[in-house]
Each structure stands twice: as structure tokens, then as C-alpha cells.
Amino acid sequence: MKLENTQVQMRKGILEFCILEIIGRGEAYASDMLEELTAARMIVVEGTLYPLLTRLKNAALLDYVWKESTSGPPRKYYTLTVAGRQFLEELRQTWEEMALSVGIIRQPPRPA
Amino acid sequence: MKKNISINLQGLIFHIEDDGYEVLSRYLQEVKAHFASYQGHEEIVADIEGRIAELFTARTSSSKQVITLTDVEAMMAKMGRVSDFATEPDEEEEPAPTAGGTFEPNGPFGPKGAFGPEGTFGKEGPFGPKGPFATGQPTADGQPRRLYRDLAHRKVAGVCAGLAQYFMVNPLVVRLAFLALVLLPNVVGGFDRFPGTGLFHHHFDLGGLAVIAYIVLWIVLPKRDDAPTPIDTLDLGGSLAGRKLFRDIDAGKVGGVAAGLAHYFRTDIVLVRVIFLLGAFLTFGSTIIIYIILWIVVPEARTMSEKMQMRGDAVTLSGIDNNLRSNAFEADGTTPAGSRSVGTFLEGAARGAQPAVNFVGTLIRWAAAAVLITMGASSLIGVLGFAGAALGIISSESVIHTDNNFRFGDESFNSVMHNAQPWGIVAATLLAGIPALALILLGVRLVLRRSVLGRTGGLLLLALWVLGLVGTAMAGGQIFRDTRTRATYTTTRRLAPVPGPGIVLDSRNMEDFMERTRFSLTPADSGAAPYVEEEYQARGRTQNSARLTAQQSILYTVSQQDSTITFDQGITLRENAPYRGQKLHLTLHLPLGKTYRLMPLFI
């Protein structure tokens, strides 16, 4: 049983949740997200983000438009679709519940 | 001074130093290999390239126009190595539950247990979604799995290719198995010459069965033109843990087949070679044929990822790195020459033989088409001729001459046919003629390689055939009712007394009669005149109608000239009388005390 595996498992859904949260605040492009996610220590390397974005886009949760950039190649600006917004709403609820559940369990039982 | 290389990342041009380029191109190769199995991998790689371009742009300015090795390394640190991507949630990988009991690694639900990913019913097991017996899960193109003829990749009619799609194996495996079934019993049949072994003795004609099975599948399976590309390696449903069969031309002596097999079965290459050579001596060269076939059909491992799949290495950073290092000389396309000159020559010859192989396929197709068309046409002509004669459109003479199956005399043929209603004959013609027509169409289709008859046409033919079947059954039922009972009509024919001492019994030679008359002889009083008791028999719906038919429809004459009595050889029917199984039995009552002479024809 590897610690790493468990960490990957835990991160799995939460990373998607965070990406949706960032895009949910308004259109965003990969570098913005990277900065934020790296700062929050959600990801370590940037390569992790791209397959996730593609997957969310293929699942029709995200949509994007190309925008010219003054520095560098054109950028993909992502927005949430209607389905993406619903998905995010559900994830928020799940997160609240899970955080609560974990909190309850980690709390030492009160002496009766 | 340093040499620069200019590269293009997502439409932007960068000048990159030589050493930096080496590292960058290796990195991008790793990335591509890593994501190759992902959905939308082109897009992921393009996104990553775009990001690299962005990072590089940020590191260049008017005073620093060239990307250096340092820049590349900084970029890689930021993007992460392939091994770091492992933190990426992977859809393909569902780690097995790790609780105790049945979920232990070797328990039934653990990774190696029956329901685990590698077990019998797991993802990679034979009954799992990737295994050969899986059903219901989408195939490579996402469609539900079903059996069809794969016209896009066929050699003859697409049956083998379709079976391969269904079982998710290389079509070649199916074709080889089929050919082996057809040819092997005949080839190994020769071993019977070695007495006492009995090893290859066979009672079934497996080859014939295989051919019949092929034709049956050809007829019953739906066709499909847009089937996905068939599996082109010999990876049997992942049962060998991700290794794929390639020819290893680096390690090979001839064509790399033995080396590839050694990788595939994780054995020593020497062992495989010994098996091949020993087999060649023991089985009179059959392993050589197997070798050549494998050489033709198994692709050689060209790319890095193919070489790694061949060895079963995981396509990871370290794996690629090892391969790149150990095969560095390969980058400039040089082969480790010398030991493979024979192989290179033979390989060229094999490539040259490709048209010949295709030609043989065409030849088989055309031969099958010729057989089908000939069979269909001859039976169709027979059926139509028979029907025409039965309906009286063409004279039955011509039928007798065109088809040997109907050796009826003119008369009897017509009377048999009078039984049948015209609609019954038409129905029978449809019943027999449509399959013949279908054979012809199948043959034509084989030559043209496209459907001759549309769906509607096919359905129409089927409908007509069913109509023919029903009609024939009804006509048959009617005939059965018409001939249900048998009745006899008896009459006595008196002959004039014969004065002389002898009586000659003769028979009248007839060209054409319905049924030979049967005789029995009974003695009568010596003085009396001979007489004949005639029992006419016929079938009919009722006793009365049968008796009436017996009485009225049969023509028979007995003539007497002095002492010679001449009997007809057989009975004939009155014109337009239906055939009702008419028979005649004569009992000759002959006076005693006379000398009888029987003419040869009478006997």
C-alpha cells in the first residue's frame, strides 16, 4: 500500500473541482489557472493540467474560444457550459458534505 | 559559437541551441508516448506545445533571441516530467480496493483474482471487456459488438475479417485458422503412410465443413462497409499483459520472427530458434512455412513505442530513456548490418510477392464465382424447362433432351402433370428457381465485389420464395387428398376358344406406357375358352371416384388372332386423364391340356 496512490486518489476529484471553481468565476486560460493552482499547491507540475482540461471539455462541461495574445501563441479561454455549471454545483455540495464528514470523524469522540 | 536549430511550436518560430534541441525533442517524444492512449491526445499535446511556446516567448527578448538548454530545463521543471504526470487522474486505471479478505491482491476481487483487472472476468481476462469472449461492450468504434461481414477489410467475402472484429483478434489469426482447417487434414493425411501411428487419421472432412461454415456465414451475416481498422498485431486480447508481437529486426538473424516471438513469450531467443530448426527437421519444413507466414504478416517494430510494446516495457520516461540510449545508433537510420543480409534479401523478395498473394485471393474469388454461376444457371434452366413443359408452353420432348433427370415418356409426363394445378406448378417453380437465381446473383456479386440486388430486391425474392413454398405445400396437399384411397374395378374379358393344340402368348411392344401390367396365371378347365380377369386399380379422393377413375381412365387392349393372344405391355391413360397411381393386374385363366408358347417379349 503506497502513500502516493492514496494521495492520487484523494487529489483526483478535488483537482477537477478546483479547476471548475476557477473557470466558474469567469473565463480563464491555462496560465491563469496554473498560477492559481500552483500557488494553492494543488498541482506540482503544469503538464498535469492539460489532459484534465481536454477531458472536461470532451465531457461538455467546458467550452473555449481562441484569443490572440500579444506575447506568444493564441490562447484558449475556457468557460463553463450549462452542464458544467450544474456539475460544479453538485461538486460544491459534495465537498461540503465530505468536509463535514471528515471533520466529524476526525473529531475525538466527546466524553459522554 | 553554438549551432542553432529553428523549430516551430504551434505556429511560432524559435531558435534553439543544439543541445537544448536534443533535450526538448526527447521530452516531447516522451510526452507524446505518454498521452498516446488518452482520448484526444493530439489536443493535449498541442496544448502542452502551446504552453511551451508561451514559456519560451517569456524567456526571449530582443537581446536574447535564442532558447538555450537552461531555458528548456526550466520549462521542463515547470511542466513536469512524464513520470510526474502520474498524479494525473487516469480513467483507464481503477486501482483495486485494498481492504482485507476477498479484496486482497490474490482474493477473487483483488487485482489477480477472478474479478480483478487481470483475472478471468477482469478487464484483461478472457471474459473481461478486453478479452475474446466479452460481449455487449462497445468495440473500437464505440458501436455495440455484433457479428457481421467486414467488407472493408475482406479478402473473399469478409467473413474472416468480421469474425476477427468480433473476437477482437487479428484477422490473420482467423484466416490462418480457417486455412489450417481446410488444408491441414489433407496435408497431414499423408502421415497415414507411416503405419501404426494413426495419429493423423481423421474421419471428418473438416476442410469441407469449414468451407460450408464459411458459405453459411456469408449468407446469414449482415455486411458492413465502415468497420473499424482491424487489429494488426498478434496481441491476443491483452492476455499476454500488453506485449504485442512484432518482429525484432535488431536482434533477428533472418527476419526477426524468432526474436519477436521470444519477446512475446518471454523466453530465450535461442530456445525459439532451436524449436524452429528442430521443427523444420521433424515436420518436413512446416515451421519454415510458419516462419515465412509470420514474416509476411507480423509487422516489424519500427518506432520506439512499438519496440517497447514488443518487450512489454511500460511506455514511461525511464523506459523511453533506456531505449533511446541503447538504440542511439538507430536514430540515423543505420541498421546493424552484416548478419541480416540474407534477411534483407528475402524480405525484398517477400515484398515483391505481395501482388502475387493478392492475385491468388482474386483467383479464389473468381473460381468460387464461376462455380456458383454454373450451378445456379444449370439448375435454373432445368427448373424453367420443367415448368414450361408442365404448363404445356414448350413441348416435353425438348425437356427430355435438355435435361436427363426427367426420363418420362411423353404421355406419362403429361398425365403426371395433369395432377397439378397450373398455380401449383408456378409455385414449385418459384420454390426451386429462386435459390438457383440466388446462386447466380451471389456469383455475380463476387465478381463485381458489390451488391447486385438491393435490399428491396432481396426481400422481394424472399417473399416470392415463401409464396412458392406455401403454394407448393397447398398443391401437394391437394394431390395428397386426391390420392387418399385406392379402389379396384374388376372386369372379365372373354376370349374366343382356341381350337388348336397350342396357344401363343405374345406382348405388344409399346413405345410409351404408363405402368407395366402384372400377370398371374391360373389353370382353367381343359375344354373352356381362356379368359382374362382384369383388375384396374386407381387412387382417388373417395372409393367411388377412385373406382370410376380405374374404370374410365385406363386404356388396355388384348387382341386375339387365331391361337395367338397379344397383350399390351403396359397400360396407358386416356388423354387428359390425371395420374392417380393407376395399375392393372391380369389373371389369365388358361385351359389345361394345351401347349403354351411364350414369346420373349411376353416374358
Side-chain angles (χ1 to χ4, degrees):
Chain A
M1 175 114 187
K2 270 180 164 175
L3 173 68
E4 211 175 280
N5 280 349
T6 314
Q7 284 169 332
V8 169
Q9 289 297 306
M10 288 173 85
R11 251 181 240 273
K12 230 185 187 184
I14 297 170
L15 186 54
E16 283 175 26
F17 175 43
C18 292
I19 292 170
L20 289 173
E21 276 285 1
I22 295 171
I23 301 172
R25 293 198 299 258
E27 63 174 17
Y29 92 108
S31 297
D32 295 341
M33 295 181 226
L34 284 169
E35 252 168 57
E36 209 167 321
L37 288 169
T38 320
R41 302 189 55 183
M42 269 308 296
I43 57 173
V44 188
V45 293
E46 298 189 356
T48 319
L49 180 66
Y50 296 98
L52 258 179
L53 284 175
T54 306
R55 196 142 63 86
L56 292 171
K57 195 251 320 172
N58 285 342
L61 300 178
L62 297 182
D63 207 355
Y64 67 84
V65 284
W66 285 104
K67 285 195 179 172
E68 289 296 326
S69 153
T70 47
S71 61
R75 297 163 168 183
K76 277 177 181 173
Y77 276 85
Y78 288 92
T79 49
L80 288 186
T81 61
V82 179
R85 208 155 275 290
Q86 271 175 5
F87 201 85
L88 174 60
E89 208 44 61
E90 307 246 329
L91 284 185
R92 276 180 185 152
Q93 249 178 33
T94 313
W95 174 252
E96 296 292 335
E97 286 166 15
M98 269 172 54
L100 194 69
S101 309
V102 174
I104 290 170
I105 286 165
R106 290 193 62 202
Q107 202 105 67
R110 273 176 220 162
Chain B
M1 190 188 76
K2 279 189 168 178
K3 197 171 86 176
N4 285 328
I5 293 166
S6 87
I7 57 163
N8 170 349
L9 283 175
Q10 298 297 297
L12 293 184
I13 292 199
F14 295 96
H15 301 287
I16 183 166
E17 283 178 358
D18 202 11
D19 46 0
Y21 170 78
E22 285 294 321
V23 177
L24 176 65
S25 94
R26 194 179 295 179
Y27 177 73
L28 281 175
Q29 244 182 338
E30 284 171 22
V31 169
K32 266 184 203 164
H34 176 77
F35 289 118
S37 62
Y38 284 57
Q39 226 185 359
H41 55 96
E42 295 101 340
E43 197 177 352
I44 297 171
V45 172
D47 282 351
I48 288 175
E49 282 190 2
R51 175 64 177 160
I52 294 172
E54 207 173 50
L55 291 171
F56 283 173
T57 313
R59 285 183 154 260
T60 52
S61 62
S62 52
S63 59
K64 178 185 176 292
Q65 295 181 343
V66 174
I67 302 293
T68 62
L69 179 60
T70 326
D71 296 329
V72 174
E73 278 169 349
M75 177 278 292
M76 279 163 57
K78 218 165 157 49
M79 292 297 293
R81 309 291 299 236
V82 173
S83 52
D84 303 323
F85 295 173
T87 49
E88 135 74 3
D90 190 347
E91 274 179 315
E92 301 295 312
E93 196 179 83
E94 292 286 316
T98 41
T102 48
F103 295 98
E104 284 295 331
N106 287 320
F109 292 92
K112 294 194 173 163
F115 295 94
E118 290 167 29
T120 317
F121 297 98
K123 263 188 193 165
E124 317 242 301
F127 291 95
K130 292 182 182 170
F133 299 106
T135 47
Q137 95 284 13
T139 48
D141 59 346
Q143 298 212 9
R145 187 166 150 186
R146 62 196 189 102
L147 198 51
Y148 52 82
R149 287 190 293 120
D150 179 359
L151 295 190
H153 308 99
R154 65 174 161 183
K155 290 277 182 230
V156 180
V159 172
C160 285
L163 282 172
Q165 294 275 10
Y166 187 76
F167 291 113
M168 293 185 187
V169 292
N170 192 331
L172 216 100
V173 174
V174 183
R175 288 193 185 117
L176 287 179
F178 175 72
L179 278 180
L181 270 182
V182 174
L183 298 178
L184 224 57
N186 302 317
V187 176
V188 298
F191 280 83
D192 280 346
R193 274 177 291 164
F194 298 99
T197 63
L199 203 59
F200 296 98
H201 197 74
H202 59 97
H203 296 281
F204 302 108
D205 187 0
L206 279 178
L209 282 181
V211 171
I212 290 169
Y214 189 96
I215 291 173
V216 167
L217 286 174
W218 187 355
I219 293 167
V220 302
L221 289 187
K223 63 182 179 186
R224 196 171 149 194
D225 293 303
D226 56 345
T229 317
I231 294 159
D232 57 356
T233 62
L234 287 177
D235 184 10
L236 296 167
S239 53
L240 286 149
R243 283 197 300 289
K244 291 185 175 176
L245 183 56
F246 287 102
R247 287 186 290 117
D248 184 356
I249 51 166
D250 304 330
K253 287 264 182 239
V254 185
V257 173
L261 285 172
H263 286 304
Y264 192 65
F265 293 112
R266 289 253 162 103
T267 48
D268 193 34
I269 183 167
V270 178
L271 179 69
V272 181
R273 285 189 181 135
V274 165
I275 290 174
F276 261 115
L277 283 176
L278 267 182
F281 282 114
L282 290 178
T283 63
F284 308 99
S286 63
T287 56
I288 295 176
I289 295 170
I290 292 171
Y291 189 98
I292 291 172
I293 291 172
L294 286 177
W295 195 352
I296 295 170
V297 304
V298 176
E300 79 186 49
R302 286 173 198 277
T303 67
M304 194 56 61
S305 60
E306 281 172 351
K307 279 175 190 166
M308 293 172 70
Q309 283 171 333
M310 172 175 77
R311 287 176 202 143
D313 294 347
V315 186
T316 58
L317 165 68
S318 57
I320 289 179
D321 218 36
N322 291 343
N323 272 285
L324 279 172
R325 266 180 218 134
S326 59
N327 289 303
F329 54 88
E330 274 230 322
D332 12 312
T334 53
T335 21
S339 65
R340 287 197 65 247
S341 59
V342 187
T344 318
F345 170 74
L346 286 176
E347 188 148 334
R351 289 231 166 86
Q354 189 66 34
V357 173
N358 289 341
F359 175 71
V360 170
T362 313
L363 213 62
I364 293 173
R365 220 177 64 239
W366 282 59
V371 169
L372 286 174
I373 293 175
T374 317
M375 271 166 55
S378 61
S379 36
L380 192 63
I381 289 171
V383 168
L384 287 180
F386 187 76
L391 291 170
I393 301 168
I394 29 178
S395 102
S396 47
E397 288 288 339
S398 57
V399 178
I400 291 156
H401 290 297
T402 48
D403 199 305
N404 292 332
N405 288 333
F406 305 108
R407 278 201 182 277
F408 288 100
D410 215 351
E411 286 306 308
S412 49
F413 177 77
N414 281 343
S415 39
V416 168
M417 280 309 135
H418 278 131
N419 268 351
Q421 306 285 344
W423 58 262
I425 296 168
V426 172
T429 308
L430 288 177
L431 184 69
I434 286 174
L437 187 67
L439 279 183
I440 297 177
L441 290 177
L442 204 61
V444 172
R445 177 188 178 156
L446 206 51
V447 173
L448 298 180
R449 299 196 79 164
R450 64 183 173 78
S451 184
V452 189
L453 209 60
R455 197 179 164 71
T456 335
L459 283 176
L460 188 73
L461 273 190
L462 185 69
L464 281 175
W465 185 79
V466 171
L467 206 67
L469 184 68
V470 172
T472 310
M474 281 168 63
Q478 199 179 37
I479 291 170
F480 173 76
R481 280 196 305 279
D482 283 348
T483 55
R484 197 158 26 186
T485 52
R486 171 174 283 282
T488 309
Y489 168 79
T490 314
T491 177
T492 308
R493 194 192 290 258
R494 306 226 157 259
L495 297 169
V498 178
I503 294 179
V504 180
L505 296 176
D506 199 0
S507 205
R508 188 161 72 93
N509 190 13
M510 294 166 84
E511 278 277 302
D512 174 44
F513 55 86
M514 177 83 209
E515 168 118 9
R516 192 174 283 276
T517 327
R518 286 180 298 133
F519 291 95
S520 28
L521 303 176
T522 316
D525 291 345
S526 55
Y531 68 95
V532 185
E533 210 177 284
E534 302 176 336
E535 289 173 42
Y536 294 97
Q537 291 186 341
R539 290 182 160 278
R541 197 176 286 235
T542 61
Q543 284 285 322
N544 283 340
S545 72
R547 194 171 301 119
L548 208 64
T549 311
Q551 186 183 352
Q552 291 178 346
S553 68
I554 299 174
L555 294 175
Y556 191 74
T557 51
V558 178
S559 57
Q560 184 181 20
Q561 205 172 22
D562 299 332
S563 63
T564 306
I565 308 169
T566 310
F567 298 90
D568 279 359
Q569 247 181 337
I571 53 170
T572 54
L573 298 184
R574 213 176 284 280
E575 203 173 330
N576 290 337
Y579 174 72
R580 288 286 185 267
Q582 284 94 335
K583 283 196 179 90
L584 176 59
H585 183 229
L586 297 182
T587 312
L588 269 56
H589 294 262
L590 299 172
L592 293 166
K594 302 250 182 201
T595 331
Y596 290 95
R597 212 171 112 222
L598 308 179
M599 299 304 282
L601 210 55
F602 182 82
I603 301 162

